[in-house]
Amino acid sequence: MTTTPYIQFFDGTDAPRHDLLGGKCASLVALTQAGMPVPPGFAITTASYDAFIAAAGIEQDIHSMLASLDADDVAEVDRVSAQLRYEIESRPVPAAVRADFVAAYHALQARFSEPVPVAVRSSATAEDLPDASFAGQQDTYLWLNGIDDVTEHIRRCWASLFTSRAITYRLKNNIPGEGLSMAVAVQKMVNARAAGVAITMDPTTGDRSKIVMEASYGLGELVVSGLVTPDNVTVDKIMLMVVKRVIGDKHAELVPDAANGALVELEVSAARRGVLSISETEITAIATIAKKAEKHFKCPQDIEWALDRDLPDGQNLLLLQSRPETVHSSRSSDTRTDAVAVASTAGYGIESITRSLLVQAGKPTI
């Protein structure tokens, strides 16, 4: 399928325009075009969202409801958020827009010998900017099957532009609402044996000679949401040698239940909890691909990665995201002190990447 105003495949030839693709999708297109291993998929462009909002006739309502909001008035923010999300989730997608969704979804499925589940991931135009971290502000939906399920969750992604936390974050960081839009990534799911994040600098000290990664069993959502204590590994960026490793508890993993077509959270055995979830070879591979992402984007990167159990060793490391690092580079020394204090209570000898991201995003840690 060729690119349309509403659809852009990751492996197409069109440039990754941030205004058309949002932060996440622009990154995925750039990574794919640079030859890095990204699960196949396509972006539903901001033109789709804009056409949907125009057809619904609610653009002025959105602006007027947001204009007078006070970020500290939690109850009012929640009320406006709920109303805006209902307005979006309850409206039909224009026929021309949905027709392109359907064609792109079937074109993606045609690449495989049997139907594959997909992830539907938000990609706002205000996210992944060098001076702001929108990690966790909008929604991601996993292991979806069929075009009706996908279409429903595309609408939910659009609506997540107006979650309470996203509205509050924009207000507190003086990010204007005018021109704000949302693209959506539709991407083959990774059947992850292990997954996690990596930052191409030490987020505690800003040391750019280090790569700090976190890893856990199963899909990475439990890591990026801070729901498990992952393994924490520090690697020398030049020599690609491990200089520090801390085994996390990793008490749970998120894995697919093929019989029911859904994800389930399972308890991890004591034996598996007591060892690293990734091998030395895999640590080196993750560090290497993180360095490649940093070189490509020309600044420290915060990547999400996964090891796909359905692919052979040596070919199973996939990049799910790469965004500019903001944990260290954009916070004040006071915030750094707070983040380190939070991490120190977790029993680490090193600050947790996940906890740093949650502190910066204003979300609770566990």
Side-chain angles (χ1 to χ4, degrees):
M1 178 180 175
T2 58
T3 295
T4 76
Y6 300 136
I7 299 293
Q8 182 172 337
F9 272 84
F10 297 162
D11 57 359
T13 57
D14 286 10
R17 287 173 45 193
H18 192 281
D19 63 322
L20 193 64
L21 301 176
K24 185 179 286 91
C25 287
S27 169
L28 292 171
V29 169
L31 292 167
T32 302
Q33 293 181 352
M36 285 182 252
V38 174
F42 59 90
I44 295 167
T45 69
T46 55
S48 299
Y49 171 83
D50 296 342
F52 171 82
I53 294 297
I58 58 175
E59 183 174 7
Q60 289 306 313
D61 292 340
I62 291 172
H63 291 322
S64 62
M65 292 175 70
L66 295 175
S68 59
L69 271 183
D70 178 352
D72 295 322
D73 188 343
V74 176
E76 182 63 8
V77 169
D78 286 346
R79 186 193 69 78
V80 168
S81 170
Q83 184 171 345
L84 289 176
R85 296 188 78 171
Y86 171 78
E87 291 290 342
I88 292 172
E89 291 179 17
S90 62
R91 306 271 179 158
V93 177
V97 177
R98 191 178 190 280
D100 276 6
F101 292 179
V102 173
Y105 177 78
H106 289 309
L108 177 63
Q109 293 291 333
R111 300 186 182 196
F112 306 98
S113 59
E114 58 185 31
V116 296
V118 298
V120 172
R121 309 170 69 196
S122 305
S123 181
T125 53
E127 74 181 21
D128 298 347
L129 300 174
D131 57 351
S133 173
F134 265 75
Q137 301 296 330
Q138 275 95 40
D139 290 347
T140 289
Y141 299 97
L142 305 176
W143 221 266
L144 303 178
N145 293 279
I147 187 59
D148 291 340
D149 205 15
V150 169
T151 300
E152 176 187 345
H153 287 85
I154 289 168
R155 272 201 307 260
R156 292 186 185 181
C157 281
W158 286 340
S160 74
L161 196 57
F162 304 106
T163 62
S164 294
R165 64 183 181 270
I167 291 171
T168 301
Y169 186 89
R170 290 194 296 268
L171 289 172
K172 290 191 172 182
N173 288 275
N174 298 313
I175 297 172
E178 292 76 11
L180 196 63
S181 192
M182 174 75 82
V184 178
V186 178
Q187 188 173 27
K188 180 186 179 296
M189 274 297 309
V190 175
N191 185 12
R193 172 173 55 79
V197 296
I199 291 182
T200 60
M201 65 188 297
D202 186 326
T204 307
T205 65
D207 182 356
R208 293 185 61 171
S209 72
K210 301 293 189 293
I211 296 171
V212 182
M213 63 185 71
E214 290 186 339
S216 193
Y217 297 117
L219 293 169
E221 272 56 37
L222 297 185
V223 176
V224 298
S225 60
L227 296 177
V228 296
T229 304
D231 299 324
N232 192 297
V233 180
T234 303
V235 176
D236 181 278
K237 191 185 290 184
I238 304 301
M239 302 301 294
L240 295 181
M241 299 287 292
V242 174
V243 297
K244 190 166 187 176
R245 55 172 65 82
V246 179
I247 296 176
D249 185 51
K250 308 182 298 292
H251 70 282
E253 62 180 330
L254 193 64
V255 296
D257 177 356
N260 295 310
L263 296 174
V264 293
E265 186 176 316
L266 301 179
E267 184 177 356
V268 175
S269 69
R272 293 175 69 212
R273 288 159 71 171
V275 297
L276 285 177
S277 55
I278 49 178
S279 69
E280 297 293 323
T281 299
E282 289 162 349
I283 290 170
T284 301
I286 294 163
T288 300
I289 204 168
K291 284 180 63 175
K292 288 181 179 178
E294 179 181 67
K295 182 178 180 180
H296 180 78
F297 290 112
K298 298 180 173 59
C299 67
Q301 293 292 296
D302 164 15
I303 71 166
E304 296 176 24
W305 55 268
L307 293 164
D308 194 328
R309 69 173 76 245
D310 296 334
L311 297 175
D313 289 346
Q315 302 174 36
N316 59 346
L317 175 60
L318 299 173
L319 268 178
L320 306 179
Q321 171 69 309
S322 186
R323 62 174 72 88
E325 186 280 333
T326 58
V327 173
H328 177 271
S329 58
S330 68
R331 69 188 180 194
S332 68
S333 59
D334 287 342
T335 306
R336 286 199 298 273
T337 301
D338 291 343
V340 173
V342 169
S344 68
T345 65
Y348 286 127
I350 185 169
E351 181 184 15
S352 162
I353 298 171
T354 301
R355 289 174 183 273
S356 300
L357 288 167
L358 295 175
V359 166
Q360 189 183 18
K363 296 175 68 176
T365 58
I366 59 171

